[in-house]
Each structure stands twice: as structure tokens, then as C-alpha cells.
Amino acid sequence: VEATCKAAPVVARLVSSFRHRADAEGIIWKIDVDDDAICPFDEYALIEVLGNLVDNAMKWTKDSVSINIAGTSGAGVIRVLDNGVGIREPDLPTARHRGVRLDEHSEGYGLGLAIVEDMAQQRNAELVLRNRSEGGLVAEISWE
């Protein structure tokens, strides 16, 4: 039996804790999570996945972080968006590799996206990173 959880309560707790961080001042949060959205992660794993994606978005955003989740355990999508500078197109394929840090001046070890990708793959889900036309990045996990 695959572990699943309702996304909305997990997102509410996670965003609440992120809002209290010093670097969250001035960030506009846009949360669009279906009340009945089910993810193919248990609560701990969903916190780990979203925590890494939101932490990345907060690091790079100008002032906005969006979280969108819809679907069931059988098919759905998680999207975390920011309005920062995005990732250079040539770097998109390698950004998820363990230890890759695209900005050597920022804090971190380059593990966050690799962890997210590993956890997604374990659940037959796919992590895709793409730049937004209006600026910023979309980190999307989808499953079917």
C-alpha cells in the first residue's frame, strides 16, 4: 500500500512556519491547493519535498512564492513557482543533480533538488524544472 496524504493541511503548516523566517518578510504567498488534493507522499515526505522546493523559491524570488497542488493519489501535480531570475536554460538539465550548485555564492550544498527528484522517482512521479516566461522558475512534480 502506497502512503498518501491530504495536501492542504501539510501546506498550511509548512507555509505558516516559512512565514516566520527572517527572510520571508515581504514575500507574497499565493496558495492554490484543492481541499481534496491527495499526494503520493506521506506527510513527512510531502513536508520534505515541499520544504526543499519552497526553500529554493524563497532563496531566489523577488517577492512572490506560489504553491499549486491538485489531483488524487493516482494522478496529480505539485507546482512551486517564484518570480526570481530562473535558471539559465543550459543549466536546467543538471540543476537536479546531487551536489550541483548553480550559484557558488549562495548558501547550501546543492542537495535539495536532488532529494526532491529521488523522492519523486520513488513514487513514479517526475520532477520538471522550467523557466517562466514572465521570469522565475516552476518546479513541478507530476504523477499518473
Side-chain angles (χ1 to χ4, degrees):
V1 176
E2 297 277 325
T4 62
C5 73
K6 288 187 80 162
V10 173
V11 171
R13 285 197 315 270
L14 192 70
V15 169
S16 175
S17 73
F18 271 108
R19 283 182 201 260
H20 290 90
R21 286 182 20 175
D23 61 348
E25 192 174 320
I27 290 182
I28 300 161
W29 294 90
K30 300 174 183 175
I31 311 301
D32 181 12
V33 178
D34 290 353
D35 288 338
D36 54 354
I38 303 287
C39 294
F41 299 92
D42 62 27
E43 282 188 39
Y44 174 80
L46 185 57
I47 288 169
E48 182 79 14
V49 163
L50 280 174
N52 275 303
L53 294 178
V54 170
D55 189 55
N56 250 17
M58 285 179 65
K59 188 183 293 185
W60 298 108
T61 192
K62 288 179 194 158
D63 63 4
S64 170
V65 174
S66 301
I67 301 172
N68 307 335
I69 303 178
T72 65
S73 59
V77 65
I78 296 169
R79 283 187 199 93
V80 176
L81 304 87
D82 67 64
N83 65 349
V85 296
I87 296 175
R88 289 180 6 165
E89 290 294 327
D91 293 332
L92 280 168
T94 59
R96 301 182 307 253
H97 294 180
R98 190 167 305 281
V100 170
R101 292 181 53 221
L102 300 177
D103 180 357
E104 295 299 323
H105 303 292
S106 67
E107 291 184 24
Y109 297 99
L111 298 176
L113 291 174
I115 290 168
V116 170
E117 180 157 68
D118 288 349
M119 292 178 77
Q121 286 177 348
Q122 290 167 6
R123 290 153 180 90
N124 295 316
E126 180 183 17
L127 170 65
V128 173
L129 303 175
R130 67 179 184 278
N131 287 309
R132 300 173 67 192
S133 58
E134 63 272 32
L137 187 74
V138 178
E140 179 177 285
I141 299 172
S142 58
W143 60 95
E144 49 181 58

Short mmCIF file of all heavy atoms in Angstrom, two decimals, residues 44-100:
data_model
loop_
_atom_site.label_atom_id
_atom_site.label_comp_id
_atom_site.label_asym_id
_atom_site.label_seq_id
_atom_site.Cartn_x
_atom_site.Cartn_y
_atom_site.Cartn_z
N TYR A 44 5.35 13.27 6.20
CA TYR A 44 6.77 13.57 6.38
C TYR A 44 7.45 13.80 5.02
O TYR A 44 8.20 14.77 4.84
CB TYR A 44 7.48 12.44 7.14
CG TYR A 44 8.96 12.65 7.20
CD1 TYR A 44 9.52 13.53 8.12
CD2 TYR A 44 9.82 11.99 6.31
CE1 TYR A 44 10.89 13.74 8.16
CE2 TYR A 44 11.19 12.21 6.35
CZ TYR A 44 11.71 13.08 7.27
OH TYR A 44 13.07 13.30 7.31
N ALA A 45 7.17 12.92 4.06
CA ALA A 45 7.80 13.04 2.74
C ALA A 45 7.31 14.30 2.01
O ALA A 45 8.10 14.98 1.37
CB ALA A 45 7.52 11.79 1.90
N LEU A 46 6.02 14.61 2.15
CA LEU A 46 5.50 15.82 1.49
C LEU A 46 6.13 17.07 2.10
O LEU A 46 6.47 18.01 1.38
CB LEU A 46 3.97 15.87 1.59
CG LEU A 46 3.31 17.03 0.83
CD1 LEU A 46 3.69 17.02 -0.65
CD2 LEU A 46 1.80 16.99 1.02
N ILE A 47 6.32 17.08 3.41
CA ILE A 47 7.00 18.21 4.06
C ILE A 47 8.43 18.33 3.53
O ILE A 47 8.90 19.43 3.24
CB ILE A 47 6.98 18.07 5.59
CG1 ILE A 47 5.56 18.33 6.12
CG2 ILE A 47 7.99 19.00 6.26
CD1 ILE A 47 5.37 17.97 7.58
N GLU A 48 9.11 17.22 3.39
CA GLU A 48 10.49 17.23 2.88
C GLU A 48 10.54 17.77 1.45
O GLU A 48 11.36 18.64 1.12
CB GLU A 48 11.07 15.81 2.93
CG GLU A 48 12.49 15.70 2.47
CD GLU A 48 13.51 16.15 3.50
OE1 GLU A 48 13.15 16.30 4.68
OE2 GLU A 48 14.67 16.34 3.10
N VAL A 49 9.66 17.28 0.59
CA VAL A 49 9.64 17.69 -0.81
C VAL A 49 9.28 19.17 -0.92
O VAL A 49 10.00 19.96 -1.55
CB VAL A 49 8.64 16.81 -1.60
CG1 VAL A 49 8.27 17.43 -2.93
CG2 VAL A 49 9.22 15.42 -1.81
N LEU A 50 8.15 19.55 -0.32
CA LEU A 50 7.72 20.95 -0.41
C LEU A 50 8.70 21.87 0.30
O LEU A 50 8.95 22.98 -0.17
CB LEU A 50 6.33 21.11 0.19
CG LEU A 50 5.16 20.72 -0.70
CD1 LEU A 50 3.86 20.80 0.08
CD2 LEU A 50 5.10 21.59 -1.93
N GLY A 51 9.23 21.43 1.41
CA GLY A 51 10.19 22.26 2.14
C GLY A 51 11.39 22.62 1.29
O GLY A 51 11.82 23.77 1.26
N ASN A 52 11.93 21.66 0.57
CA ASN A 52 13.07 21.92 -0.32
C ASN A 52 12.68 22.84 -1.47
O ASN A 52 13.42 23.77 -1.80
CB ASN A 52 13.62 20.60 -0.88
CG ASN A 52 14.61 19.95 0.07
OD1 ASN A 52 15.60 20.55 0.44
ND2 ASN A 52 14.32 18.72 0.45
N LEU A 53 11.52 22.60 -2.07
CA LEU A 53 11.10 23.44 -3.21
C LEU A 53 10.79 24.87 -2.77
O LEU A 53 11.17 25.83 -3.44
CB LEU A 53 9.89 22.82 -3.91
CG LEU A 53 10.14 21.48 -4.60
CD1 LEU A 53 8.85 20.95 -5.22
CD2 LEU A 53 11.24 21.58 -5.65
N VAL A 54 10.11 25.01 -1.62
CA VAL A 54 9.77 26.35 -1.14
C VAL A 54 11.02 27.08 -0.67
O VAL A 54 11.19 28.28 -0.92
CB VAL A 54 8.70 26.28 -0.03
CG1 VAL A 54 8.51 27.63 0.65
CG2 VAL A 54 7.37 25.78 -0.60
N ASP A 55 11.94 26.37 -0.03
CA ASP A 55 13.19 26.99 0.42
C ASP A 55 13.95 27.54 -0.79
O ASP A 55 14.46 28.66 -0.75
CB ASP A 55 14.03 25.96 1.18
CG ASP A 55 15.23 26.59 1.84
OD1 ASP A 55 15.04 27.55 2.62
OD2 ASP A 55 16.36 26.14 1.59
N ASN A 56 14.01 26.77 -1.87
CA ASN A 56 14.66 27.24 -3.11
C ASN A 56 13.95 28.47 -3.65
O ASN A 56 14.59 29.44 -4.04
CB ASN A 56 14.60 26.13 -4.16
CG ASN A 56 15.95 25.55 -4.45
OD1 ASN A 56 16.88 25.70 -3.69
ND2 ASN A 56 16.03 24.85 -5.56
N ALA A 57 12.62 28.39 -3.73
CA ALA A 57 11.84 29.51 -4.27
C ALA A 57 12.07 30.78 -3.45
O ALA A 57 12.25 31.86 -3.99
CB ALA A 57 10.36 29.16 -4.31
N MET A 58 12.11 30.64 -2.13
CA MET A 58 12.33 31.79 -1.26
C MET A 58 13.72 32.38 -1.46
O MET A 58 13.92 33.58 -1.35
CB MET A 58 12.14 31.41 0.21
CG MET A 58 10.69 31.24 0.59
SD MET A 58 10.51 30.78 2.31
CE MET A 58 11.13 32.25 3.13
N LYS A 59 14.68 31.52 -1.73
CA LYS A 59 16.06 31.98 -1.92
C LYS A 59 16.19 32.86 -3.16
O LYS A 59 16.98 33.80 -3.20
CB LYS A 59 16.99 30.76 -2.04
CG LYS A 59 18.45 31.11 -2.06
CD LYS A 59 19.32 29.87 -2.25
CE LYS A 59 19.25 28.93 -1.07
NZ LYS A 59 20.19 27.80 -1.20
N TRP A 60 15.39 32.57 -4.20
CA TRP A 60 15.58 33.22 -5.48
C TRP A 60 14.49 34.21 -5.87
O TRP A 60 14.66 34.98 -6.80
CB TRP A 60 15.72 32.17 -6.59
CG TRP A 60 16.92 31.32 -6.35
CD1 TRP A 60 16.94 30.03 -5.93
CD2 TRP A 60 18.28 31.72 -6.45
NE1 TRP A 60 18.24 29.60 -5.78
CE2 TRP A 60 19.08 30.63 -6.10
CE3 TRP A 60 18.90 32.92 -6.82
CZ2 TRP A 60 20.47 30.69 -6.09
CZ3 TRP A 60 20.28 32.98 -6.82
CH2 TRP A 60 21.05 31.86 -6.46
N THR A 61 13.36 34.19 -5.17
CA THR A 61 12.25 35.05 -5.59
C THR A 61 12.55 36.52 -5.39
O THR A 61 13.37 36.89 -4.55
CB THR A 61 10.96 34.69 -4.81
OG1 THR A 61 9.87 35.35 -5.43
CG2 THR A 61 11.05 35.10 -3.35
N LYS A 62 11.87 37.35 -6.18
CA LYS A 62 11.90 38.79 -5.92
C LYS A 62 10.97 39.07 -4.74
O LYS A 62 11.35 39.73 -3.80
CB LYS A 62 11.43 39.57 -7.15
CG LYS A 62 12.39 39.58 -8.29
CD LYS A 62 11.81 40.37 -9.46
CE LYS A 62 12.61 40.10 -10.72
NZ LYS A 62 11.86 40.39 -11.93
N ASP A 63 9.73 38.55 -4.84
CA ASP A 63 8.77 38.85 -3.77
C ASP A 63 7.55 37.93 -3.75
O ASP A 63 6.60 38.19 -3.03
CB ASP A 63 8.29 40.30 -3.88
CG ASP A 63 7.54 40.59 -5.18
OD1 ASP A 63 7.31 39.66 -5.98
OD2 ASP A 63 7.16 41.76 -5.38
N SER A 64 7.54 36.85 -4.53
CA SER A 64 6.34 36.03 -4.62
C SER A 64 6.68 34.55 -4.71
O SER A 64 7.55 34.15 -5.48
CB SER A 64 5.55 36.45 -5.87
OG SER A 64 4.51 35.56 -6.12
N VAL A 65 5.97 33.73 -3.91
CA VAL A 65 6.09 32.28 -3.97
C VAL A 65 4.68 31.71 -4.09
O VAL A 65 3.80 32.07 -3.31
CB VAL A 65 6.79 31.70 -2.73
CG1 VAL A 65 6.76 30.17 -2.74
CG2 VAL A 65 8.23 32.20 -2.63
N SER A 66 4.48 30.85 -5.08
CA SER A 66 3.18 30.22 -5.28
C SER A 66 3.30 28.72 -5.10
O SER A 66 4.28 28.12 -5.52
CB SER A 66 2.65 30.50 -6.70
OG SER A 66 2.52 31.88 -6.92
N ILE A 67 2.26 28.14 -4.48
CA ILE A 67 2.18 26.68 -4.34
C ILE A 67 0.83 26.27 -4.90
O ILE A 67 -0.21 26.75 -4.43
CB ILE A 67 2.30 26.25 -2.86
CG1 ILE A 67 3.62 26.72 -2.26
CG2 ILE A 67 2.15 24.72 -2.75
CD1 ILE A 67 3.73 26.50 -0.76
N ASN A 68 0.85 25.40 -5.90
CA ASN A 68 -0.38 24.88 -6.51
C ASN A 68 -0.35 23.36 -6.43
O ASN A 68 0.64 22.75 -6.86
CB ASN A 68 -0.49 25.29 -7.98
CG ASN A 68 -0.34 26.78 -8.20
OD1 ASN A 68 -0.60 27.57 -7.31
ND2 ASN A 68 0.08 27.15 -9.39
N ILE A 69 -1.41 22.76 -5.89
CA ILE A 69 -1.49 21.30 -5.83
C ILE A 69 -2.91 20.88 -6.18
O ILE A 69 -3.88 21.44 -5.67
CB ILE A 69 -1.12 20.76 -4.42
CG1 ILE A 69 0.28 21.23 -4.01
CG2 ILE A 69 -1.22 19.23 -4.40
CD1 ILE A 69 0.71 20.80 -2.63
N ALA A 70 -3.01 19.89 -7.06
CA ALA A 70 -4.30 19.33 -7.45
C ALA A 70 -4.11 17.86 -7.78
O ALA A 70 -3.03 17.44 -8.18
CB ALA A 70 -4.87 20.08 -8.65
N GLY A 71 -5.18 17.09 -7.62
CA GLY A 71 -5.16 15.71 -8.06
C GLY A 71 -5.46 14.72 -6.95
O GLY A 71 -5.82 15.09 -5.83
N THR A 72 -5.28 13.46 -7.32
CA THR A 72 -5.52 12.34 -6.42
C THR A 72 -4.22 11.55 -6.31
O THR A 72 -3.23 11.86 -6.98
CB THR A 72 -6.61 11.42 -6.99
OG1 THR A 72 -6.11 10.83 -8.20
CG2 THR A 72 -7.89 12.18 -7.29
N SER A 73 -4.26 10.50 -5.52
CA SER A 73 -3.05 9.67 -5.43
C SER A 73 -2.73 9.02 -6.77
O SER A 73 -1.59 8.66 -7.03
CB SER A 73 -3.22 8.61 -4.35
OG SER A 73 -4.34 7.78 -4.64
N GLY A 74 -3.71 8.91 -7.66
CA GLY A 74 -3.49 8.29 -8.96
C GLY A 74 -2.91 9.20 -10.02
O GLY A 74 -2.17 8.76 -10.90
N ALA A 75 -3.25 10.49 -9.96
CA ALA A 75 -2.75 11.45 -10.95
C ALA A 75 -2.88 12.85 -10.39
O ALA A 75 -3.94 13.21 -9.86
CB ALA A 75 -3.54 11.34 -12.26
N GLY A 76 -1.81 13.62 -10.50
CA GLY A 76 -1.88 14.97 -9.98
C GLY A 76 -0.60 15.74 -10.22
O GLY A 76 0.31 15.27 -10.90
N VAL A 77 -0.56 16.94 -9.61
CA VAL A 77 0.58 17.82 -9.83
C VAL A 77 0.80 18.69 -8.60
O VAL A 77 -0.15 19.12 -7.94
CB VAL A 77 0.38 18.67 -11.10
CG1 VAL A 77 -0.79 19.62 -10.96
CG2 VAL A 77 1.64 19.40 -11.47
N ILE A 78 2.07 18.92 -8.32
CA ILE A 78 2.52 19.89 -7.32
C ILE A 78 3.37 20.90 -8.07
O ILE A 78 4.29 20.50 -8.79
CB ILE A 78 3.39 19.22 -6.23
CG1 ILE A 78 2.60 18.20 -5.44
CG2 ILE A 78 4.03 20.27 -5.32
CD1 ILE A 78 3.47 17.31 -4.54
N ARG A 79 3.07 22.20 -7.90
CA ARG A 79 3.90 23.23 -8.54
C ARG A 79 4.31 24.25 -7.49
O ARG A 79 3.47 24.73 -6.74
CB ARG A 79 3.12 23.97 -9.63
CG ARG A 79 2.97 23.23 -10.89
CD ARG A 79 2.33 24.10 -11.99
NE ARG A 79 1.81 23.24 -13.03
CZ ARG A 79 0.56 22.80 -13.08
NH1 ARG A 79 -0.31 23.15 -12.18
NH2 ARG A 79 0.19 22.01 -14.06
N VAL A 80 5.59 24.59 -7.49
CA VAL A 80 6.10 25.69 -6.67
C VAL A 80 6.74 26.67 -7.64
O VAL A 80 7.63 26.30 -8.41
CB VAL A 80 7.10 25.21 -5.60
CG1 VAL A 80 7.67 26.38 -4.82
CG2 VAL A 80 6.42 24.21 -4.64
N LEU A 81 6.28 27.92 -7.60
CA LEU A 81 6.72 28.94 -8.54
C LEU A 81 7.31 30.12 -7.78
O LEU A 81 6.85 30.45 -6.68
CB LEU A 81 5.55 29.46 -9.38
CG LEU A 81 4.74 28.45 -10.18
CD1 LEU A 81 3.64 27.84 -9.34
CD2 LEU A 81 4.16 29.10 -11.40
N ASP A 82 8.31 30.75 -8.38
CA ASP A 82 8.83 32.00 -7.85
C ASP A 82 8.93 33.00 -8.99
O ASP A 82 8.72 32.64 -10.14
CB ASP A 82 10.19 31.80 -7.14
CG ASP A 82 11.31 31.43 -8.10
OD1 ASP A 82 11.65 32.26 -8.98
OD2 ASP A 82 11.85 30.32 -7.97
N ASN A 83 9.23 34.24 -8.66
CA ASN A 83 9.37 35.26 -9.71
C ASN A 83 10.77 35.85 -9.72
O ASN A 83 10.96 37.02 -9.97
CB ASN A 83 8.30 36.35 -9.57
CG ASN A 83 8.44 37.16 -8.30
OD1 ASN A 83 9.21 36.81 -7.40
ND2 ASN A 83 7.71 38.25 -8.20
N GLY A 84 11.75 34.98 -9.48
CA GLY A 84 13.14 35.41 -9.48
C GLY A 84 13.75 35.39 -10.87
O GLY A 84 13.07 35.65 -11.87
N VAL A 85 15.02 35.05 -10.95
CA VAL A 85 15.74 35.10 -12.22
C VAL A 85 15.65 33.79 -13.01
O VAL A 85 16.04 33.75 -14.17
CB VAL A 85 17.24 35.44 -11.99
CG1 VAL A 85 17.37 36.83 -11.42
CG2 VAL A 85 17.91 34.42 -11.10
N GLY A 86 15.14 32.72 -12.39
CA GLY A 86 15.09 31.44 -13.08
C GLY A 86 16.47 30.80 -13.14
O GLY A 86 17.40 31.20 -12.45
N ILE A 87 16.58 29.80 -13.98
CA ILE A 87 17.84 29.07 -14.17
C ILE A 87 18.22 29.19 -15.64
O ILE A 87 17.36 29.04 -16.52
CB ILE A 87 17.67 27.57 -13.79
CG1 ILE A 87 17.34 27.44 -12.30
CG2 ILE A 87 18.92 26.79 -14.15
CD1 ILE A 87 17.05 26.01 -11.87
N ARG A 88 19.48 29.46 -15.90
CA ARG A 88 19.93 29.52 -17.30
C ARG A 88 19.53 28.23 -18.01
O ARG A 88 19.71 27.15 -17.48
CB ARG A 88 21.44 29.68 -17.37
CG ARG A 88 21.95 31.04 -16.93
CD ARG A 88 23.44 31.08 -17.04
NE ARG A 88 23.87 29.81 -17.69
CZ ARG A 88 25.07 29.59 -18.21
NH1 ARG A 88 25.97 30.48 -18.16
NH2 ARG A 88 25.36 28.45 -18.77
N GLU A 89 18.98 28.37 -19.21
CA GLU A 89 18.48 27.21 -19.97
C GLU A 89 19.49 26.06 -20.04
O GLU A 89 19.12 24.92 -19.83
CB GLU A 89 18.04 27.63 -21.38
CG GLU A 89 16.78 28.47 -21.41
CD GLU A 89 15.52 27.74 -20.95
OE1 GLU A 89 15.39 26.51 -21.19
OE2 GLU A 89 14.66 28.40 -20.36
N PRO A 90 20.79 26.34 -20.30
CA PRO A 90 21.74 25.22 -20.38
C PRO A 90 21.91 24.48 -19.04
O PRO A 90 22.34 23.34 -19.03
CB PRO A 90 23.06 25.86 -20.81
CG PRO A 90 22.72 27.23 -21.27
CD PRO A 90 21.41 27.61 -20.65
N ASP A 91 21.58 25.15 -17.93
CA ASP A 91 21.77 24.55 -16.61
C ASP A 91 20.55 23.78 -16.13
O ASP A 91 20.63 23.03 -15.14
CB ASP A 91 22.11 25.62 -15.57
CG ASP A 91 23.48 26.25 -15.82
OD1 ASP A 91 24.35 25.56 -16.40
OD2 ASP A 91 23.68 27.42 -15.44
N LEU A 92 19.40 23.94 -16.78
CA LEU A 92 18.18 23.27 -16.33
C LEU A 92 18.33 21.75 -16.20
O LEU A 92 17.91 21.18 -15.19
CB LEU A 92 17.00 23.61 -17.23
CG LEU A 92 16.34 24.97 -16.96
CD1 LEU A 92 15.38 25.33 -18.07
CD2 LEU A 92 15.63 24.97 -15.62
N PRO A 93 18.94 21.06 -17.17
CA PRO A 93 19.03 19.59 -17.06
C PRO A 93 19.90 19.11 -15.88
O PRO A 93 19.66 18.03 -15.36
CB PRO A 93 19.65 19.15 -18.39
CG PRO A 93 19.41 20.28 -19.33
CD PRO A 93 19.42 21.52 -18.48
N THR A 94 20.88 19.90 -15.48
CA THR A 94 21.79 19.43 -14.43
C THR A 94 21.46 20.00 -13.05
O THR A 94 22.05 19.60 -12.06
CB THR A 94 23.25 19.79 -14.76
OG1 THR A 94 23.35 21.21 -14.91
CG2 THR A 94 23.72 19.10 -16.02
N ALA A 95 20.51 20.92 -12.97
CA ALA A 95 20.19 21.57 -11.69
C ALA A 95 19.74 20.58 -10.63
O ALA A 95 19.90 20.83 -9.43
CB ALA A 95 19.12 22.64 -11.90
N ARG A 96 19.21 19.45 -11.06
CA ARG A 96 18.70 18.44 -10.11
C ARG A 96 19.77 17.44 -9.67
O ARG A 96 19.50 16.59 -8.83
CB ARG A 96 17.55 17.67 -10.75
CG ARG A 96 16.41 18.54 -11.16
CD ARG A 96 15.29 17.69 -11.74
NE ARG A 96 15.76 16.81 -12.80
CZ ARG A 96 15.51 17.01 -14.09
NH1 ARG A 96 14.81 18.02 -14.49
NH2 ARG A 96 15.95 16.15 -14.98
N HIS A 97 20.95 17.52 -10.22
CA HIS A 97 22.00 16.55 -9.88
C HIS A 97 22.57 16.83 -8.50
O HIS A 97 22.77 17.98 -8.11
CB HIS A 97 23.11 16.57 -10.92
CG HIS A 97 22.67 16.10 -12.27
ND1 HIS A 97 23.50 16.04 -13.34
CD2 HIS A 97 21.45 15.68 -12.74
CE1 HIS A 97 22.85 15.61 -14.41
NE2 HIS A 97 21.61 15.39 -14.05
N ARG A 98 22.84 15.78 -7.78
CA ARG A 98 23.37 15.88 -6.42
C ARG A 98 24.67 16.68 -6.41
O ARG A 98 25.57 16.43 -7.19
CB ARG A 98 23.61 14.47 -5.87
CG ARG A 98 23.93 14.43 -4.41
CD ARG A 98 23.87 13.02 -3.85
NE ARG A 98 22.60 12.34 -4.08
CZ ARG A 98 21.49 12.55 -3.36
NH1 ARG A 98 21.48 13.43 -2.40
NH2 ARG A 98 20.40 11.86 -3.62
N GLY A 99 24.72 17.67 -5.52
CA GLY A 99 25.92 18.46 -5.34
C GLY A 99 26.07 19.63 -6.30
O GLY A 99 27.00 20.41 -6.17
N VAL A 100 25.15 19.76 -7.26
CA VAL A 100 25.24 20.87 -8.21
C VAL A 100 24.69 22.13 -7.56
O VAL A 100 23.57 22.15 -7.07
CB VAL A 100 24.46 20.57 -9.52
CG1 VAL A 100 24.36 21.80 -10.39
CG2 VAL A 100 25.12 19.44 -10.27
#
